[in-house]
Amino acid sequence: MFNVVFVLGPPGSGKGTICSKIQENLGYVHLSAGDLLRAERERAGSQFGALIESHIKNGSIVPVEITCSLLENAMNLHKTANGFLVDGFPRNADNLSGWSRQMSGKVHEQFVLFLSCPVDICINRCLNRGEGRTDDNVDSLKKRVETYNNQTFPIIEHFGKLNMVREVDSERPVEEVYEDVDKVFEAANQK
Ligand SMILES: Nc1ncnc2c1ncn2[C@@H]1O[C@H](COP(=O)(O)OP(=O)(O)OP(=O)(O)O)[C@@H](O)[C@H]1O
Ligand SMILES: Nc1ccn([C@H]2C[C@H](O)[C@@H](COP(=O)(O)O)O2)c(=O)n1
Ligand SMILES: [Mg+2]
């Protein structure tokens, strides 16, 4: 059974940055749903490239069957990992129900790491990220934030009702954010 920590937060809240540090220090494998989708978009012969790009540009969410299969395939490549950081997933109700259908009995969901940060700061971070992402522009960011508010935040609230959310304020410098994240993992892994 794979241990899984879902990592959620607004676009630009620092999910990828913090996951890299957790991976480096705690042996969890970082799987970014967005990175997996971008890799699939670039893969020669993929039947999903155009569909994925249209969702990415519009800030909407790719059907779960595609994303969940990419995640499961990636997990199966790292069978001895301490656990997986599933970054940017589940992003909406379709993601959540599809994950349950495909993954129940195969994973243990430890908790949801929620990186909270004001949206104006997140948008500025994305606009200055400098990675050439096709969705780091004002139009796409407006849509991504709308999707986050209307579809992803309710998923965080859903997990909150199950007492699974561990919120860390990610407006602060990376080192300070990581200190608190490390404490969250320590507490979870003592149980
Ligand atoms: N705590 C922080 N303080 C200042 N800048 C940060 C912080 N965390 C991340 N950044 C910077 O903000 C940008 C976005 O960070 P990152 O890619 O980790 O966010 P993300 O949540 O994964 O975003 P997305 O959802 O768009 O993939 C990067 O340029 C990163 O270096
Ligand atoms: N569960 C997911 C995760 C990501 N996507 C698509 C749509 C997002 O705007 C884009 C970028 O994700 P990020 O790298 O910002 O986490 O990828 C999706 O459809 N479903
Ligand atoms: Mg990211």
Side-chain angles (χ1 to χ4, degrees), residues 59-61 90-94 143 145-156:
S60 51
I61 305 299
R91 265 309 221 272
N92 65 2
D94 174 60
K143 295 175 188 163
V145 167
E146 210 174 282
T147 300
Y148 170 76
N149 287 333
N150 296 333
Q151 299 186 43
T152 310
F153 193 69
I155 300 297
I156 297 170

Side-chain angles (χ1 to χ4, degrees), residues 73-141:
N73 291 343
M75 289 167 76
N76 283 324
L77 294 177
H78 300 275
K79 289 201 158 126
T80 59
N82 289 347
F84 294 90
L85 304 163
V86 176
D87 161 2
F89 185 97
R91 265 309 221 272
N92 65 2
D94 174 60
N95 275 191
L96 182 59
S97 61
W99 170 269
S100 302
R101 265 196 314 276
Q102 188 170 332
M103 301 304 285
S104 68
K106 302 179 191 170
V107 290
H108 165 61
E109 288 131 9
Q110 288 190 279
F111 59 91
V112 175
L113 177 63
F114 170 33
L115 297 180
S116 58
C117 186
V119 156
D120 53 336
I121 289 174
C122 289
I123 289 176
N124 272 324
R125 285 181 184 173
C126 290
L127 290 174
N128 291 306
R129 177 157 36 194
E131 287 180 6
R133 279 177 50 161
T134 58
D135 57 350
D136 278 347
N137 58 74
V138 171
D139 281 352
S140 294
L141 276 161

